[in-house]
């Protein structure tokens, strides 16, 4: 693949969010999905509404990584980690490349509530989508505006916001504005890179829906899809431009980050214990 010029993939209307379609090929995607599905059962962690695997080690309560080797299918072939390093987006981070990956699995109807990724990480996340598309929303906290009606009276401009979310307090206890400030369509095989204030002071989430409609008046009307001109898939582009819809499928996301603090002995100890 020829070197990627990041600026060609800047999401319009943002200063530091990038969307790179076809970051891996269809063959690489198929291989990665096979490896994910072949993983031994104990690698999976089951949450209320989805399953995930954590690669690169566990975080302590003090937000320090106890490192473990990444599976070869992420840093050898097809070397997703190396390709992300070569983009240069982690140049200012402690290790210059991601050392930690949370791999989420979403069945249709599953998603993730708006949240922040938190302070353990250098404030950059690169997310590879595999298997199916999703719609990814960024949110801001409600402004401290005395004229703001507050959580009891959500603005009418938030059609179809997920139940339980309207003015819901976040993990930090601060109410969230339910109208997304930015919405992206993430195609399978694409990489999205979130940095700066969207990482540090905003939230992100995925609605729990079986399909995404782009019709006028829906939650993600076509004109709100900020990366429409960067999309590669014909079905995806047509749905967005013509106000159609896309059914959700089984999606995997590899969220790649750099944990700044790492214990020195962890990896060696782990390798010794494993023999
Ligand atoms: O699946 C995604 O694209 C997002 C996952 C996410 O936000 C997270 O793991 O923190
Ligand atoms: Fe997240």
């Amino acid at each position: 693949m020829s070197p990627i010029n990041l600026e060609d993939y800047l999401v319009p209307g943002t200063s530091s969010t990038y969307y790179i379609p076809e970051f891996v090929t269809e063959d690489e995607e198929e291989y990665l999905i096979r490896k994910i599905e072949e993983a031994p059962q104990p690698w999976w962690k089951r949450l209320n509404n989805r399953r995930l695997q954590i690669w690169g080690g566990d975080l302590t309560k003090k937000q320090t990584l106890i490192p473990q080797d990444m599976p070869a299918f992420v840093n050898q072939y097809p070397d997703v980690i190396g390709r992300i390093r070569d983009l240069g987006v982690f140049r200012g981070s402690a290790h210059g490349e991601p050392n930690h990956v949370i791999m989420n699995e979403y069945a249709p109807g599953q998603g993730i509530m708006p949240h922040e990724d938190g302070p353990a990480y250098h404030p950059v996340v690169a997310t590879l989508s595999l298997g199916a598309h999703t719609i990814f929303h960024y949110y801001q906290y409600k402004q401290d505006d005395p004229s703001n009606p507050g959580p009891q009276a959500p603005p009418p401009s938030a059609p179809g916001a997920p139940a339980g979310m309207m003015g819901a307090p976040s993990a930090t206890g601060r109410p969230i504005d339910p109208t997304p400030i930015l919405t992206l369509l993430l195609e399978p095989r694409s990489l999205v890179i979130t940095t700066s204030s969207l990482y540090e002071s905003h939230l992100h989430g995925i609605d729990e829906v079986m399909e995404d409609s782009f019709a006028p008046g829906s939650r993600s009307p076509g004109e709100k899809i900020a990366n429409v001109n960067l999309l590669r898939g014909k079905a995806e582009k047509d749905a967005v431009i013509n106000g159609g819809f896309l059914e959700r499928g089984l999606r995997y996301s590899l969220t790649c980050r750099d944990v700044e603090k790492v214990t020195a002995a962890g990896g060696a100890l782990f390798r010794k214990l494993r023999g």
Side-chain angles (χ1 to χ4, degrees), residues 186-208:
L186 308 183
E187 295 167 293
R189 301 180 294 287
S190 72
L191 189 80
V192 63
I193 301 157
T194 305
T195 69
S196 307
S197 77
L198 278 184
Y199 184 102
E200 290 176 285
S201 53
H202 292 75
L203 307 99
H204 54 272
I206 297 171
D207 293 353
E208 298 185 330

Side-chain angles (χ1 to χ4, degrees), residues 17 33 47 54 64 80 104 122 139 146-147 156 163 187 193 207 212 262 269 272:
T17 298
I33 292 177
L47 308 185
I54 297 175
T64 302
V80 173
N104 301 284
H122 177 74
Y139 300 91
S147 65
E187 295 167 293
I193 301 157
D207 293 353
D212 293 292
V262 177
L269 178 66
K272 207 167 152 193

Side-chain angles (χ1 to χ4, degrees), residues 23-24 28 32 55 71-87 90 97-98 101 126-130 191 254-256:
F23 190 68
V24 296
E28 290 163 345
L32 286 165
W55 304 333
F73 57 84
V74 241
N75 64 3
Q76 291 175 33
Y77 175 83
D79 198 11
V80 173
I81 300 289
R83 284 188 206 176
I84 293 173
R85 182 208 315 119
D86 292 347
L87 294 175
F90 283 88
E97 65 181 42
V101 180
T127 301
L128 180 67
S129 293
L130 301 174
L191 189 80
L254 278 59
T255 59
C256 306

Side-chain angles (χ1 to χ4, degrees), residues 3-224:
I4 289 174
N5 177 15
L6 212 48
E7 293 314 309
D8 294 343
Y9 300 97
L10 183 68
V11 175
T14 76
S15 58
S16 52
T17 298
Y18 302 93
Y19 175 81
I20 307 176
E22 303 295 342
F23 190 68
V24 296
T25 65
E26 285 187 26
D27 285 350
E28 290 163 345
E29 174 187 41
E30 204 178 297
Y31 177 79
L32 286 165
I33 292 177
R34 182 153 52 83
K35 289 294 178 185
I36 289 168
E37 291 177 346
E38 280 174 5
Q41 210 51 41
W43 285 23
W44 287 102
K45 290 193 190 343
R46 187 168 281 285
L47 308 185
N48 280 344
N49 61 347
R50 68 183 197 285
R51 295 194 302 170
L52 54 82
Q53 295 178 24
I54 297 175
W55 304 333
D58 287 321
L59 286 178
T60 67
K61 286 208 182 76
K62 288 192 171 162
Q63 314 281 347
T64 302
L65 183 70
I66 305 173
Q68 286 178 14
D69 291 339
M70 292 264 183
F73 57 84
V74 241
N75 64 3
Q76 291 175 33
Y77 175 83
D79 198 11
V80 173
I81 300 289
R83 284 188 206 176
I84 293 173
R85 182 208 315 119
D86 292 347
L87 294 175
V89 287
F90 283 88
R91 212 172 275 141
S93 81
H95 306 95
E97 65 181 42
N99 61 3
H100 197 245
V101 180
I102 299 178
M103 192 285 298
N104 301 284
E105 178 195 62
Y106 304 88
Q110 295 183 328
I112 187 165
M113 289 296 283
H115 65 280
E116 288 184 58
D117 285 352
Y121 303 107
H122 177 74
V124 172
V125 55
T127 301
L128 180 67
S129 293
L130 301 174
H133 87 281
T134 203
I135 295 295
F136 198 72
H137 295 300
Y138 295 88
Y139 300 91
Q140 63 186 356
Y141 291 102
K142 286 203 164 169
Q143 309 296 314
D144 291 333
D145 171 2
S147 65
N148 189 324
Q152 287 76 23
S157 58
M165 191 198 134
M166 289 284 200
S170 63
T172 58
R174 293 167 63 193
I176 302 166
D177 183 335
T179 305
I181 57 154
L182 178 69
T183 298
L184 303 180
L185 193 166
L186 308 183
E187 295 167 293
R189 301 180 294 287
S190 72
L191 189 80
V192 63
I193 301 157
T194 305
T195 69
S196 307
S197 77
L198 278 184
Y199 184 102
E200 290 176 285
S201 53
H202 292 75
L203 307 99
H204 54 272
I206 297 171
D207 293 353
E208 298 185 330
V209 295
M210 300 297 290
E211 63 178 42
D212 293 292
S213 168
F214 305 101
S218 69
R219 183 147 158 79
S220 314
E223 78 267 13
K224 287 277 174 70

